[in-house]
Amino acid sequence: MDLKEKLVSSFLAFENKVDIDAYAHDVRSDAIKIFEEKGFPSKKDEAWKYTSLNTILKEDYSVFPKQENALEYHQVKKYFIHDIDTYKIIFIDGKYSSHLSQTTHDGIDVCLMSAALSKPKYQLIIENYFNKAAEKDSLSALNTAFSQEGAYIHIPKNKVVEKPIQIIHFSTGNESATMLQPRNLVVVDENSHVQIIERHQSLTDNPVLTNSVTEIFANKRAIVDYYKIQNDKETASLIDNTFIKQKRESLASVHTFAFGGKLTRNNLNFYQNGERIDSTLKGITIIGKKQHVDHNTLVHHIEPNCESHQDYKGIFGDRSTGVFNGKVVVEKEAQKTNAFQANNNILVSDKATINTKPQLEIFADDVRCSHGCTIGQLDESAMFYMRSRGIPEKEARALLMFAFSNNVLESVKIPELKQRITKIIANKLGVNIGFDL
């Protein structure tokens, strides 16, 4: 039995054991039909032309981990941004960890999807928002069919959340191979502001496949800053599907720091439904060995006087592979749109590969839209200059690569997170640099 058959045959048993309302039941039933019809994507699909799932789908994954494994804080402290006070929603092998978490219902809801899907007091939000942004592609539908646990965040009107929220999913390796399907829902109401940091972290060398879906709704004049840290083991694969719907005058930004795993696919989709919206998509990728990272982005400009900014930097070594497939769609009504898209890459190995495809589809005639990509190597004249000033070659290369990624780092709004990312980059480049960018 292959993985698709295993998932479809497991659906009824899953539905019977979870506590959900009638609306969620109907949504799940429709979703499993979509997945059964479409199956897993292949390289025959244009959006997956450069990324094959074959190597990760051959594992015999446990769909429902049978055991719960407790973790102590000291075992996982290094994966937290522990320099600052944060709310925390922590999961271990797909199960909520109450003793590692710090949630709240004090004026805001920072809690669990399982509670939101089963308790009547959340029913209105669930019916208005759950599965209303996610596309009906096969992997998102698969997650919807099995959605049970994840983060539920609702920020009511006129609230500035006093501290960031960390969402961390740990996998411990209780099973020989594990598949996880977390589901996050973030609703930020009018004039509210929230900062969120998300991480998926394997603690085992056993294969792990995570198929995650996050839906984010930024209502009028809301501000959402979302940060993704992807620095996993070489046996862990992540398919990260994020859908963001914005309303008038909202600001939403997503920074993706992709430093590895076996295979990482980031599907990031922004939908602008209103005027004077600003959308920001930025990312840094640094990988080596045979790692594979694929960024697939969409910004859909639907109404006039809006902006979007995409800036992705990639550094690829050894036999690693990078993919960037970014699309900007500007509808006829979306006049005065200002859209920028850039993908710049450095290959530090002759055997590394980058496939980049920036795209613009413009149906309006009064817009400012630009896109571009570069693929190259480090500037030899800059290297010579730094070496002539007494900087060793390894440190000189690292400094140039830090400078290359700096304009993405400088827009990170949480200083402690910026410091953490800087240290991870230095570690990836194999140097110890005594300053923060």
Side-chain angles (χ1 to χ4, degrees):
M1 182 184 298
D2 65 16
L3 184 56
K4 176 188 173 183
E5 294 172 338
K6 184 176 184 178
L7 288 163
V8 171
S9 64
S10 302
F11 176 71
L12 283 179
F14 173 78
E15 272 279 81
N16 290 333
K17 75 173 186 176
V18 295
D19 184 16
I20 56 172
D21 64 16
Y23 171 78
H25 171 77
D26 292 341
V27 170
R28 283 178 171 158
S29 298
D30 291 340
I32 196 64
K33 292 175 184 175
I34 293 172
F35 175 71
E36 187 173 11
E37 176 186 345
K38 295 183 176 181
F40 287 101
S42 71
K43 296 182 78 170
K44 294 180 181 179
D45 301 300
E46 181 63 27
W48 291 81
K49 183 177 180 180
Y50 301 109
T51 299
S52 171
L53 297 179
N54 290 342
T55 58
I56 63 174
L57 296 181
K58 67 182 181 182
E59 301 287 348
D60 184 19
Y61 293 105
S62 171
V63 179
F64 311 116
K66 300 176 180 63
Q67 301 178 16
E68 293 187 32
N69 196 355
L71 294 173
E72 297 301 324
Y73 179 68
H74 69 87
Q75 296 176 274
V76 292
K77 178 182 177 181
K78 64 181 180 180
Y79 301 114
F80 290 81
I81 307 298
H82 51 75
D83 312 86
I84 51 174
D85 188 22
T86 61
Y87 295 112
K88 302 174 184 68
I89 314 175
I90 310 302
F91 304 93
I92 302 172
D93 296 328
K95 305 292 185 182
Y96 174 61
S97 172
S98 58
H99 76 282
L100 291 178
S101 300
Q102 181 189 347
T103 59
T104 184
H105 295 287
D106 185 12
I108 61 176
D109 287 318
V110 179
C111 59
L112 306 179
M113 271 300 298
S114 56
L117 288 171
S118 60
K119 294 184 179 179
K121 71 175 182 177
Y122 299 112
Q123 184 175 358
L124 185 61
I125 294 292
I126 292 298
E127 291 186 2
N128 284 334
Y129 292 102
F130 179 72
N131 208 44
K132 294 298 173 60
E135 291 291 324
K136 302 302 186 284
D137 65 280
S138 62
L139 291 172
S140 297
L142 174 62
N143 177 282
T144 299
F146 289 93
S147 57
Q148 177 185 14
E149 197 58 284
Y152 173 84
I153 299 169
H154 178 214
I155 314 300
K157 287 184 180 181
N158 305 315
K159 296 280 187 181
V160 177
V161 182
E162 60 187 21
K163 51 190 179 182
I165 300 168
Q166 294 193 72
I167 306 169
I168 305 181
H169 297 267
F170 290 110
S171 176
T172 64
N174 268 338
E175 310 287 340
S176 59
T178 304
M179 183 174 187
L180 301 173
Q181 303 206 67
R183 181 65 170 244
N184 304 316
L185 176 62
V186 180
V187 180
V188 185
D189 286 342
E190 186 175 340
N191 295 322
S192 292
H193 181 192
V194 67
Q195 296 177 320
I196 300 172
I197 304 165
E198 181 187 31
R199 183 166 189 158
H200 300 266
Q201 187 63 50
S202 175
L203 307 175
T204 175
D205 289 329
N206 291 347
V208 178
L209 172 58
T210 300
N211 177 38
S212 175
V213 170
T214 300
E215 295 181 288
I216 301 172
F217 296 86
N219 290 311
K220 288 192 296 183
R221 293 184 295 278
I223 301 175
V224 180
D225 291 319
Y226 208 101
Y227 302 94
K228 297 175 180 288
I229 303 175
Q230 300 168 347
N231 188 27
D232 217 337
K233 289 181 175 287
E234 292 170 37
T235 52
S237 297
L238 170 66
I239 301 167
D240 192 325
N241 308 281
T242 303
F243 304 91
I244 302 177
K245 280 195 171 182
Q246 294 182 250
K247 290 190 176 179
R248 180 166 58 90
E249 298 176 45
S250 62
L251 283 74
S253 66
V254 175
H255 288 69
T256 304
F257 300 103
F259 301 129
K262 181 177 182 179
L263 181 150
T264 304
R265 166 78 176 215
N266 290 301
N267 298 317
L268 181 55
N269 304 271
F270 279 73
Y271 305 96
Q272 296 186 339
N273 297 285
E275 295 192 41
R276 293 181 292 280
I277 289 173
D278 196 325
S279 305
T280 299
L281 304 76
K282 293 192 176 186
I284 298 174
T285 300
I286 304 177
I287 55 174
K289 299 184 179 179
K290 293 184 179 180
Q291 295 175 316
H292 184 110
V293 172
D294 182 344
H295 295 287
N296 193 285
T297 70
L298 167 68
V299 180
H300 193 174
H301 290 269
I302 301 169
E303 298 193 33
N305 302 304
C306 295
E307 297 189 11
S308 66
H309 307 271
Q310 298 187 57
D311 192 0
Y312 283 79
K313 299 294 182 72
I315 300 172
F316 303 94
D318 301 322
R319 295 177 178 270
S320 64
T321 301
V323 182
F324 177 80
N325 190 349
K327 180 184 288 188
V328 176
V329 178
V330 182
E331 297 293 351
K332 184 177 181 180
E333 295 78 12
Q335 304 293 341
K336 306 293 184 183
T337 289
N338 182 9
F340 169 81
Q341 182 188 77
N343 175 229
N344 305 111
N345 305 282
I346 293 176
L347 300 180
V348 295
S349 165
D350 293 338
K351 297 179 180 179
T353 303
I354 175 69
N355 300 286
T356 181
K357 185 182 176 184
Q359 303 174 70
L360 297 178
E361 294 184 9
I362 303 171
F363 302 99
D365 53 17
D366 185 10
V367 299
R368 294 175 58 195
C369 297
S370 63
H371 69 171
C373 66
T374 61
I375 302 171
Q377 298 175 324
L378 292 176
D379 187 340
E380 290 301 324
S381 60
M383 279 288 294
F384 176 80
Y385 176 84
M386 297 179 75
R387 294 294 307 280
S388 69
R389 295 309 189 266
I391 300 174
E393 181 179 359
K394 187 175 182 181
E395 283 72 14
R397 291 169 64 87
L399 284 169
L400 288 176
M401 286 187 276
F402 263 104
F404 173 72
S405 58
N406 187 36
N407 63 332
V408 173
L409 280 172
E410 66 186 6
S411 62
V412 175
K413 296 183 175 67
I414 304 174
E416 295 81 2
L417 175 62
K418 183 177 177 181
Q419 292 171 8
R420 173 65 64 86
I421 297 301
T422 300
K423 291 177 181 177
I424 293 175
I425 292 175
N427 184 59
K428 290 289 290 185
L429 299 178
V431 295
N432 182 16
I433 296 177
F435 63 86
D436 295 325
L437 290 175

